[in-house]
Amino acid sequence: MHIVYLGLGTNLGNKEENIHAAVENINRKIGKIISLSSFYETEPWGFSSENMFLNAAICVQTDLSPTEVLHTTQEIEKITGRTQKTKNHIYHDRIIDIDLLLYDSLTIQTTELTIPHPLMTQRPFVMIPLAEIAPDIIHPVFHKKLKEFL
């Protein structure tokens, strides 16, 4: 079994309901939920929007490969109602966004997937909930505890 950390975000519709629906789907399709952070209201990052975000982080135990986790999170985004994916760092409002942040202590870089998530340490809306549930996890590239990034 593998330990995976995912970032969750939403800024459209019933935000708490969107996150809970994503968590339920993650539990059914990816694996057992180990922990879920508090929900944090945050400003949009990388684009302008009138809609505030609700963000959280989740830890999941899975037997899926990193690529299978990625494809499954994309499937969950679609069934939850997400219609646009970020391309070329152009961000949009979204019903749900699920980012694969960490997978065990692996580092992976392919055209489809980069682990750890390359922007996670630059995003307080990712690091605050992630450090809440995994403060002592060591970042596999920077070799620092997650809580040290705060």
Side-chain angles (χ1 to χ4, degrees):
M1 295 301 272
H2 304 280
I3 298 296
V4 178
Y5 291 92
L6 303 171
L8 310 173
T10 175
N11 77 330
L12 293 175
N14 184 326
K15 298 169 196 170
E16 283 193 31
E17 196 172 283
N18 295 344
I19 290 180
H20 286 298
V23 168
E24 288 175 26
N25 279 302
I26 290 166
N27 190 54
R28 279 199 319 271
K29 297 174 179 284
I30 295 176
K32 180 182 177 187
I33 306 298
I34 303 301
S35 57
L36 172 64
S37 74
S38 302
F39 294 175
Y40 294 86
E41 188 172 61
T42 62
E43 297 280 340
W45 186 91
F47 74 108
S48 295
S49 175
E50 295 177 4
N51 303 310
M52 295 289 287
F53 272 83
L54 199 61
N55 294 96
I58 190 169
C59 177
V60 183
Q61 188 177 39
T62 187
D63 59 0
L64 300 180
S65 72
T67 304
E68 289 171 323
V69 171
L70 175 67
H71 292 162
T72 305
T73 60
Q74 292 171 340
E75 174 190 319
I76 292 168
E77 288 176 339
K78 278 185 186 175
I79 64 174
T80 308
R82 184 162 182 184
T83 57
Q84 287 184 307
K85 287 296 288 178
T86 300
K87 290 183 182 167
N88 300 318
H89 302 288
I90 298 171
Y91 301 100
H92 306 277
D93 291 319
R94 61 207 75 154
I95 289 178
I96 194 69
D97 183 37
I98 305 170
D99 287 333
L100 175 47
L101 305 174
L102 298 166
Y103 184 102
D104 291 336
S105 58
L106 292 181
T107 58
I108 298 171
Q109 187 156 9
T110 68
T111 55
E112 185 177 32
L113 178 62
T114 302
I115 299 175
H117 190 288
L119 298 175
M120 66 185 269
T121 60
Q122 299 171 31
R123 297 173 166 176
F125 65 87
V126 171
M127 295 306 295
I128 291 169
L130 185 58
E132 176 190 326
I133 63 171
D136 296 319
I137 295 294
I138 304 294
H139 190 286
V141 173
F142 298 118
H143 308 290
K144 291 170 52 174
K145 292 180 179 182
L146 297 180
K147 67 183 176 187
E148 294 178 64
F149 288 95
L150 302 179

